[in-house]
Structures are given as C-alpha cells and as structure tokens.
C-alpha cells in the first residue's frame, strides 16, 4: 500500500533530514515509527503527502508515485497531523462535514456523530466551537477527520501526543478496528508502550535513517524500550565520534 | 470542492469578531458621512438656486450697457454636480461663481474650501474616500492571513491532503472573501440610499442613475483588486502577525502614500501654473489694450483737431478687443496646457497604485474629474465670447453713446436675447471613454495580483 524507496530529503540549509529510507506498509498492517526529536519522522510524513519535495528516491501509494502524481496518490491516503487545530469557529460536525464534502462524500449528521463517538468525543461537545476545545479533544477530532476520509492508507504523526490514558486506550482500539478493516496504517510516535501493544512492525529512525525495522515476532519477546534506547545511544555516540572526524560529507557518511 | 471552500470562507468570516467589528465600523462611517454629505449637498444646491436668481436680477439692475459689458459683467454660477457627494474631485477647490465680462472670466470665490476652511484640514468629504480607504482596509485586514492563518492552524496541510488543488484554494478564498465583503458594502450603499431619500436635493436623471450604477461597478472592481493584493500579501508571509504587519505597510503605500505623493511629485517634475500670475497677466493685457486705445484716440485728435466719429471709435474698439481676446485666449491656452501636463505626470506616477486609478475613474463618472474641469473652463470661455458678441451688438445698436454709457435712471436695462450659461457635463458614453485607461489599469491590477498570488502560493510552504 505504501512503499518508500531510497527516500532522501535534504533541506535548503543542508540538513539531511531523511537518509535513504526504505519501508513498506501493507494493507491490514500497522507500522509504527519511533525516533528521537528531530529524527526526521515529520519530514517523512510531509514527504508522503508531497507537502515538500524529496531530494531523491520515490514514494508510492497504491502504486502511484507521490511526487509525479500527487493529486492521484493523495486520494488513497488520509492524514492526521501532529497538532491540527481545524476551524475554530466551526463545531466538530461542521468540520467533519467540510472535509467530507472536499473528498466528495457527504454523510448524514448521524454518521458524523458516530465517528465522533468512535474517537471518544463527549456528546455535549458536538455543537461547541472547536476553538474552545482542549488539545486532546482537538487531537481526537483530527483523528476523526482522518478516519472519515475512509482512505486505504492512514498516516498519523504523533496522534497520541495530547491524549489522556483513556483516550490512548480508545485510540488503540480504534486503530485495531481500522486494521481489521484492511487499512494500512503508518504512525509515528514517542510512545513505546503503545507502539509495542499495537504495532505489527516497528521502525526506529535516527538522524534520518531507519536503523531498525522489525516485526512483531521479533520484538514480542524483548523489551522494546531497551532496544530503542540502545540503538539511539549507539547512534548518538557514533554521531559524536564521526562529527568530530574531519572531511565527512553530511550524515550520509554514517551508513558506511 | 470550489463552492465548499467558498462556503466555508463565508461561514467562518461572518462569525469572526474581526469581520463584525470592521464591517460595523465601515457601515457606521458610511451612515455618519452620508448625513453630513447630504446636508451639505442640500445647502449647496439651495445656495446655487438662490444665487442664480439673484445674479439674474442683478444684471437688469445694471446702470448701463457699457458698465455691464466692461465692468460688472454677468455672474455665472457653477452648478454643484449632483453626484459630487460620491466623488468631490476637483470641485472642492473650484470657485462656484465667475464674473464674465466682455474681456475676462474671473473666479470670484465661493469654493468649498473657502466657504469652510476647516474642511481643508481633513480633505474634502465624499463617499469615494470611504470606498478608497475604509473598504480597502477592511478587505486587507480580512484576507491578509487567509493562507498564513490556515498554515498556522494546520488546516492548509489538511486541505492539501484532501486533494484540493492550490488554485482552487486560492480562488475559493478569493470568492469567499469577496462575497463576504459585499455584505458590508451593500448594507452601506443601501443605508446611504435610504438617507439620501430624506434629503431631496436633486431629482436624479436616468443619466445620473447610469453613472451611479457604473460607480458601484467600479467599487466592486476596486474591491476585487485590493482583495487580491491582500491575498498576495498572505501568500508571501508565513505567519499571521507578519501578514498583518506587511498588509498594513502595503495598504499605506498603495492607498495613502502613492496617490498622495504622486501629485506632489508630479507638481515638482512638471510645476502647475499659478492662477495668481495668470490673472495678473490677464489684467496687464487689459490695461495695455486701454492704453493703446487712448493713445490712438489722442493721435487722431492731434491730427484732425476734432474727436473721432462714432464709427471710427467702434472700429477701433473691435480691433483692440480682438487683439486683447486673442492674447488672452493664448495665455489661457498655455495655462491649461501646463495644468494638463502636471496632471498627466501626476497621473502616470499615481497609477502605480490601483487606488489612484479608482479615484480617477470615480471622479470621471461623477463629473468632477480633471477632464470635466477642463470642459467647464472651455464652456466658460465660449460663453464669454457669446456674451461679448451680444454686448457689442447691443451697444452698436444704441442711438447714441450717451444712451450706452450713461445710467438710465429709473429704467431697467432691456436685455432680451442675452445669452445664458448652460453647462452640460460630458455624455455618459464620453465619460466612460474618458475613464477607459483607469478601468483598464484596474483590470490589469486584478490579473497581476492574482497571478502573483498564485505563483507565490504554488511555492508556499504548507507545513
Ligand atoms: N523546514 C525545515 N528546514 C530546515 N530543516 C528542517 C525543516 N524542518 C525540519 N528540519 C530539520 O529536519 C530534521 C528532522 O525534523 P523532523 O521535524 O522531521 O523531526 P521529527 O522526527 O518529526 O521530530 P519530533 O519528534 O520532534 O517531531 C531536524 O533536524 C529539523 O531541524
Ligand atoms: Mg515531528
């Protein structure tokens, strides 16, 4: 469903944010990407939606090249970004209705309410203005907008960052449900605990590179947190060592 | 998709406190302005009517034909243009009364600025000012963060991920905000219309209505231009505070600075002629003519030992007068040419701003523009010639010099057939033709701002 090949992104200021990234996410699979702050996760997500241009490599959604045919590719993908505030003067229903119309599929207000229930928004908030919402409530609404698009691929950038424990648990149930409906899910997070619970596949990103890509059978027995910290630490010492070394062109040198 | 965005823009706009505050301000200003405008219009029309009657009366009370022709003349009233409440234009600075003798046309005061000097502190009052300044500010402030605001709230990413092409976003925003802005505009215009119906200072002709319709259309076009300028600002700024800052700067430059400075700059590059100097030179020409006539009469008497015949004198008089008129006409023409040059230079400079083009077009439609002023000047000059001809004919027709010269005590002058001054502003078609350049400029600005906004939005970082 999602296929990333040798993806490279170097920003104008020279920072190599994504370095030869390869990964695939199949239908009915949840891929969770872990990584320290500044590892390149959001950059990857932005690249998936062609919000920024890659410096190299390809991304295909359902076989459609994102860079060559973004309008077509985006049809198959829904987006939940890390802090979306939506339209403050609209109610949750109006927000859902607006985005549903954009994808050409209006629903009844009953259907909107159902989605809002699914993401765990309380009934009395359905008519409130979104500008009065808490961060977590907005996050839930953002997830609702993503789900409503009913795309085959769902990309979520730190969707659980503002959620309370109950919200987190409901969110996992929601993801599991989406997976059972055959959706391909790509999600970034810092939440190793939840990643371990839900992921079919876990990737660890560090300085733009995917340094680990393991499936459930490989991390089920082990302590994912240990692995994460071990890899992150190894990487950072590597980086310190290498960055002190002379004549190295960018982080690309790390992979050698 | 397009209409969904248009609808969303309108719905989010009309409930935003920004829109409500700004449009209340706009409507309020229109209403307050309308009251004082129409009050003033009524007064000046009343004043005009009463002046016309009294000036007519004064003519027949003149003691003699000669004094009428040479000294007192007839007083011509400049009728306030009925649409000058929309765009006052050059009328504010112009005299309302002119003295026309066989030799001269002299403004004798009564301009708006003279009648109410305090008003020069604020500039003339008209609706154009509100359209030009207040409405444009409203448009700028409403739309300047249209894109940067969506970027900040993260919805721009979401829009793009929902496959909305960028041109649809931009067009949707344009039309959504445009329709929103038509609300305060229409309410304001309606309110002004209602207030106007209470002050019946003039019954509008079909031609007036056509012009009013045209001016409304111009307002709508101008609104589109400033809205697009605002969108352009929005597409080059990354955050709402920056958008506001930049749009205030752009607004000041486009709406305030360029149109104002251009005229002073224009006057520096091509200085306008001085009215006082012109009048002094005119007076000098008259004196010269007098001296010349007397010299010739003296010469005749020295040579012949008796006063010249009446016929000889009449011939002399028409010769001297023809010379006098030719000189004055030439001087007047030079004056007008220099003024036109100043106006042209200022016009070119100020048309860097759509706001100036808009003002010129509105004044042209109201009949208070530069072209109308020149037209009025030409009409006055023609009238002077007709008056001079008539007076000459009448004086020649008198049985004796004494009858023409001496006060006819207890008798009113018989002035049947005296020409009357009748100024007609340019026809609607001519007026539209005259504003062609400005109309074209406004349309070009629409295209230019839209393309610029589109190109910069294509490269806009949506993250
Ligand atoms: N617009 C930009 N221009 C230049 N560099 C950028 C830009 N955006 C991000 N970066 C850099 O790219 C790198 C990756 O950033 P990114 O936002 O992808 O990290 P992240 O993994 O999402 O981090 P976080 O967990 O904090 O969200 C960082 O070093 C960041 O400084
Ligand atoms: Mg991030």
């Amino acid at each position: 469903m999602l296929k990333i090949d040798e993806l490279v992104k170097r920003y104008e200021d020279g920072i190599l944010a994504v370095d030869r990234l390869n990964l695939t996410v199949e239908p009915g699979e949840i891929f969770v990407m872990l990584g320290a702050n500044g590892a390149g996760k959001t950059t990857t997500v932005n690249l998936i939606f062609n919000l920024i241009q890659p410096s190299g490599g390809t991304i295909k959604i359902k076989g459609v090249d994102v860079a060559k045919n973004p309008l077509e590719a985006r049809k198959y993908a829904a987006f939940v970004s890390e802090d979306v505030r939506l339209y403050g003067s609209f109610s949750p229903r109006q927000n859902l209705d607006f985005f549903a119309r954009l994808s050409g599929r209006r629903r009844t207000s009953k259907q909107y309410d159902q989605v809002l229930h699914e993401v765990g928004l309380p009934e009395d908030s359905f008519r409130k203005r979104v500008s009065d919402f808490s961060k977590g409530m907005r996050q839930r609404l953002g997830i609702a907008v993503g789900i409503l698009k009913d795309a085959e691929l769902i990309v979520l950038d730190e969707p659980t960052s503002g959620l309370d424990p109950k919200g987190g648990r409901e969110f996992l149930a929601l993801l599991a449900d989406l997976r059972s409906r055959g959706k391909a899910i790509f999600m970034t997070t810092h939440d190793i605990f939840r990643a371990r619970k839900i992921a079919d596949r876990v990737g660890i990103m560090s300085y733009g590179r995917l340094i680990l890509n393991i499936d459930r059978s490989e991390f089920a027995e082990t302590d994912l947190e240990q692995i994460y910290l071990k890899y992150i630490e190894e990487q950072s010492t590597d980086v310190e060592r290498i960055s002190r070394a002379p004549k190295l062109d960018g982080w690309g040198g790390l992979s050698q | 998709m397009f209409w969904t965005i248009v609808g969303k823009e309108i719905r989010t706009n009309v409930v935003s406190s920004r829109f409500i505050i700004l449009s209340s301000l706009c409507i309020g200003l229109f209403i307050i302005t309308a009251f004082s405008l129409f009050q003033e219009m009524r007064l000046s029309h009343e004043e005009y009517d009463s002046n016309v009657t009294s000036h007519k009366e004064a003519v027949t009370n003149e003691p003699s034909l000669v004094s009428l022709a040479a000294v007192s003349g007839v007083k011509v009233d400049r009728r306030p243009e009925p649409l000058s409440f929309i765009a006052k234009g050059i009328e504010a600075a112009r005299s309302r009364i002119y003295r026309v003798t066989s030799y001269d046309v002299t403004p004798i005061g009564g301009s708006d600025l003279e009648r109410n000097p305090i008003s020069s502190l604020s500039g003339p009052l008209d609706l154009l000012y509100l359209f030009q300044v207040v409405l444009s500010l409203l448009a700028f402030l409403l739309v300047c963060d249209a894109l940067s605001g969506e970027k900040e709230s993260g919805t721009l990413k979401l829009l793009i991920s929902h496959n909305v092409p960028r041109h649809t976003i931009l067009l949707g925003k344009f039309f959504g905000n445009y329709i929103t802005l038509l609300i305060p505009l229409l309410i304001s215009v309606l309110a002004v219309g209602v207030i106007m119906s209470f002050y019946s200072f003039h019954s509008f002709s079909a031609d007036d209505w056509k012009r009013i319709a045209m001016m409304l259309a111009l307002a709508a076009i101008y609104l589109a231009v400033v809205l697009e300028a605002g969108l352009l600002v929005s597409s080059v700024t990354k955050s709402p505070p920056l958008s506001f800052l930049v749009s205030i700067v752009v607004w000041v430059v486009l709406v305030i600075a360029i149109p104002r400075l251009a005229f002073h700059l224009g006057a520096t590059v091509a200085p306008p002629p001085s009215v006082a100097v012109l009048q002094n030179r005119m007076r000098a020409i008259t004196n010269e003519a007098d001296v010349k006539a007397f010299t010739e009469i003296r010469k005749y008497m020295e040579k012949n030992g008796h006063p010249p015949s009446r016929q000889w004198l009449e011939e002399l008089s028409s010769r001297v007068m023809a010379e006098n008129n030719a000189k004055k006409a030439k001087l007047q023409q030079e004056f007008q040419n220099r003024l036109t040059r100043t106006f042209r230079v200022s016009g070119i400079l100020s048309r860097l701003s759509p706001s100036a083009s808009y003002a010129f077009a509105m004044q042209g439609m109201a009949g208070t523009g530069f072209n109308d002023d020149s037209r009025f000047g030409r009409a006055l000059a023609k009238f002077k010639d007709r008056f001079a001809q008539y007076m000459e004919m009448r004086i020649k027709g008198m049985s004796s010099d004494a009858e023409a010269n001496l006060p006819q005590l207890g008798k009113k002058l018989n002035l049947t057939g005296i020409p009357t001054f009748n100024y007609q502003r340019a026809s609607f078609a001519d007026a539209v033709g005259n504003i062609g350049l400005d109309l074209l400029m406004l349309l070009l600005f629409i295209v230019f701002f839209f393309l610029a906004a589109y190109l910069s939005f294509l490269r806009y970082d949506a993250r």
Side-chain angles (χ1 to χ4, degrees):
Chain A
M1 194 69 230
L2 173 67
K3 192 163 188 321
I4 299 181
D5 253 324
E6 291 293 306
L7 186 67
V8 178
K9 174 66 193 180
R10 188 187 286 278
Y11 282 110
E12 288 73 23
D13 54 10
I15 289 179
L16 190 63
V18 175
D19 184 11
R20 277 174 278 167
L21 180 69
N22 291 292
L23 63 86
T24 51
V25 186
E26 299 300 335
E29 186 184 42
I30 298 180
F31 188 109
V32 176
M33 176 112 99
L34 300 170
N37 294 131
K41 303 183 296 297
T42 301
T43 303
T44 307
V45 171
N46 286 335
L47 284 165
I48 292 176
F49 285 94
N50 200 241
L51 293 169
I52 47 179
Q53 295 294 321
S55 320
T58 54
I59 303 174
K60 282 185 177 158
I61 301 176
K62 217 182 169 189
V64 181
D65 191 320
V66 168
K68 286 196 188 118
N69 200 348
L71 289 184
E72 166 82 5
R74 285 186 201 126
K75 275 188 208 159
Y76 310 119
F79 182 31
V80 177
S81 77
E82 100 192 87
D83 68 320
V84 64
R85 279 190 277 144
L86 295 151
Y87 295 111
S89 54
F90 278 2
S91 70
R93 268 188 202 160
Q94 287 172 315
N95 267 300
L96 288 185
D97 185 54
F98 172 68
F99 286 105
R101 280 166 191 258
L102 283 186
S103 17
R105 270 180 293 179
R106 284 193 69 185
R107 322 289 162 88
T108 62
S109 45
K110 235 194 195 147
Q111 283 169 306
Y112 294 137
D113 289 359
Q114 197 200 325
V115 178
L116 293 173
H117 276 303
E118 271 179 47
V119 296
L121 274 173
E123 183 95 41
D124 63 0
S125 69
F126 290 4
R127 275 167 219 277
K128 270 194 197 159
R129 285 157 63 108
V130 170
S131 57
D132 298 335
F133 274 25
S134 71
K135 181 173 189 290
M137 285 163 83
R138 279 200 297 268
Q139 194 65 38
R140 288 172 193 240
L141 183 56
I143 294 166
V145 171
I147 293 174
L148 198 75
K149 191 174 175 189
D150 198 21
E152 287 151 89
L153 170 69
I154 304 176
V155 177
L156 310 100
D157 195 10
E158 288 183 43
T160 53
S161 58
L163 297 188
D164 58 20
K166 181 167 163 284
R169 206 174 57 217
E170 285 167 355
F171 175 68
L172 290 190
L174 197 64
L175 279 190
D177 180 48
L178 290 171
R179 169 171 57 194
S180 70
R181 283 194 259 153
K183 309 279 184 204
I185 294 168
F186 178 84
M187 170 176 131
T188 77
T189 188
H190 293 292
D191 188 342
I192 298 173
F193 171 69
R194 290 209 184 86
R196 182 194 170 87
K197 266 191 170 167
I198 192 80
D200 298 307
R201 186 164 272 283
V202 168
I204 296 179
M205 201 172 195
S206 174
Y207 296 101
R209 286 193 302 134
L210 197 61
I211 53 172
L212 187 77
N213 185 350
I214 49 177
D215 69 12
R216 172 165 283 283
S217 62
E218 290 169 273
F219 66 75
E221 262 81 80
T222 55
D223 186 346
L224 196 53
E225 192 169 3
Q226 285 290 291
I227 300 176
Y228 176 78
L229 289 176
K230 186 172 142 254
Y231 269 87
I232 292 296
E233 247 150 46
E234 256 177 33
Q235 279 290 287
S236 56
T237 49
D238 269 4
V239 168
E240 272 164 32
R241 199 181 60 237
I242 291 168
S243 65
R244 264 185 260 112
K247 277 190 251 150
L248 186 86
D249 61 14
W251 299 123
L254 278 178
S255 56
Q256 268 120 41
Chain B
M1 201 177 244
F2 170 72
W3 289 109
T4 309
I5 295 191
V6 171
K8 184 222 79 185
E9 286 297 318
I10 298 174
R11 283 196 297 161
T12 47
N13 271 340
V14 293
V15 296
S16 73
S17 48
R18 181 192 338 177
F19 174 73
I20 293 169
I21 291 170
L22 288 172
S23 49
S24 318
L25 175 80
C26 173
I27 295 166
L29 281 174
F30 265 94
I31 291 175
I32 294 169
T33 308
F35 277 112
S36 37
L37 262 182
F38 292 130
Q39 179 70 28
E40 205 179 290
M41 285 304 282
R42 186 153 76 181
L43 282 180
S44 60
H45 272 81
E46 279 168 9
E47 193 181 298
Y48 169 77
D49 289 341
S50 105
N51 279 347
V52 168
T53 326
S54 105
H55 292 155
K56 216 181 227 163
E57 191 68 25
V59 171
T60 54
N61 285 337
E62 271 302 309
S64 75
L65 283 175
V66 170
S67 76
L68 176 63
V71 186
S72 332
V74 286
K75 285 188 187 136
V76 163
D77 295 276
R78 184 180 188 134
R79 194 174 69 115
E81 277 300 328
L83 299 178
S84 65
F85 70 94
I86 305 182
K88 189 118 240 173
I90 217 161
E91 203 179 277
R94 283 306 194 204
S95 171
R96 289 196 174 171
I97 308 170
Y98 296 81
R99 184 199 306 284
V100 177
T101 65
S102 290
Y103 312 100
D104 284 313
V105 176
T106 326
I108 51 175
S111 76
D112 282 4
L113 292 180
E114 275 173 278
R115 283 160 67 250
N116 180 6
I118 308 297
S119 76
S120 68
L121 296 177
S122 65
L125 189 69
D126 56 17
L127 294 181
L128 170 63
Y129 162 77
L130 293 181
F131 284 118
Q132 209 184 351
V133 175
V134 181
L135 206 65
S136 67
L137 184 64
L138 177 69
F140 259 105
L141 291 184
L142 188 67
V143 85
C144 68
D145 66 337
L147 301 168
S148 51
E150 294 238 10
K151 177 188 161 105
E152 206 197 41
S153 67
T155 41
L156 190 55
K157 280 198 273 193
L158 219 48
L159 283 179
I160 292 172
S161 82
H162 276 77
N163 246 339
V164 190
R166 297 210 177 198
H167 62 88
T168 309
I169 297 181
L170 204 62
L171 278 173
K173 292 221 161 253
F174 173 73
F175 280 101
N177 284 291
Y178 190 67
I179 294 170
T180 319
L181 278 170
L182 286 182
I183 301 171
L185 176 65
L186 288 180
I187 295 178
S188 302
V189 168
L190 241 105
V192 170
V194 169
I195 296 168
M196 187 168 79
S197 67
F198 290 115
Y199 291 85
S200 49
F201 60 89
H202 175 77
S203 59
F204 290 113
S205 63
D207 187 67
D208 288 329
W209 285 115
K210 267 197 274 180
R211 284 164 185 260
I212 290 176
M214 185 71 189
M215 285 193 266
L216 285 178
L218 282 170
I221 292 174
Y222 177 62
L223 196 59
V225 177
V226 285
L227 200 60
E228 274 174 356
L231 272 180
L232 175 59
V233 169
S234 185
S235 72
V236 294
T237 49
K238 303 275 176 245
S239 70
L242 189 63
S243 303
F244 280 104
L245 187 71
V246 174
S247 62
I248 292 287
V249 171
V250 171
W251 179 79
V252 167
V253 170
L254 283 190
V255 179
I256 310 284
I258 295 183
R260 271 176 162 257
L261 286 180
F263 276 87
H264 294 285
L265 223 64
T268 317
V269 177
S274 147
V275 179
V277 169
L278 174 79
Q279 274 170 7
N280 292 339
R281 286 170 66 185
M282 290 280 200
R283 222 166 288 137
I285 291 174
T286 311
N287 290 342
E288 220 174 89
D290 284 349
V291 170
K292 194 171 172 186
F294 284 125
T295 325
E296 292 214 12
I297 294 172
R298 209 176 49 226
K299 268 190 199 155
Y300 180 95
M301 285 173 65
E302 273 164 12
K303 202 169 140 200
N304 299 302
H306 61 84
S309 72
R310 184 150 177 236
Q311 202 198 341
W312 188 91
L313 279 175
E314 264 165 18
E315 268 170 27
L316 172 70
S317 148
S318 37
R319 189 154 41 84
V320 172
M321 198 146 98
E323 239 170 69
N324 173 70
N325 279 349
K327 274 189 198 158
K328 281 185 178 169
K330 198 169 152 243
L331 203 61
Q332 185 76 46
Q333 190 56 47
E334 271 169 26
F335 178 86
Q336 191 60 37
N337 288 349
R338 278 185 65 189
L339 204 59
T340 308
R341 205 168 96 82
T342 309
F343 177 73
R344 290 247 169 84
V345 173
S346 314
I348 291 169
L349 292 173
S350 60
R351 281 191 181 89
L352 290 174
S353 152
S355 200
S357 280
Y358 172 62
F360 292 147
M362 289 287 273
Q363 288 156 355
M365 289 321 294
T368 57
F370 183 78
N371 285 323
D372 301 283
D373 193 55
S374 312
R375 184 184 165 83
F376 183 82
R378 286 195 299 274
L380 261 185
K382 250 191 216 134
F383 173 69
K384 190 208 83 180
D385 291 344
R386 274 165 59 217
F387 176 74
Q389 262 169 26
Y390 171 82
M391 291 314 290
E392 199 185 342
M393 181 196 83
R394 288 302 310 274
I395 293 171
K396 270 186 190 163
M398 290 285 128
S399 50
S400 71
D401 286 357
E403 199 184 345
N405 272 307
L406 295 177
Q408 306 291 298
L409 290 175
K411 267 210 271 174
K412 289 210 166 191
L413 285 180
N414 174 11
L415 293 169
T416 39
I418 189 170
T420 49
F421 180 68
N422 242 327
Y423 170 69
Q424 289 290 327
R425 65 182 175 201
S427 71
F428 179 74
D430 283 350
V432 173
N434 280 335
I435 67 163
L437 172 65
D438 291 304
L439 204 55
L440 183 72
M441 287 301 292
L442 288 174
L443 297 176
L444 284 180
F445 271 116
I446 290 190
V447 175
F448 168 73
F449 283 139
F450 186 80
L451 281 182
Y454 179 60
L455 290 178
S456 100
F457 184 47
L458 274 186
R459 290 188 286 139
Y460 194 72
D461 187 351
R463 284 167 301 157

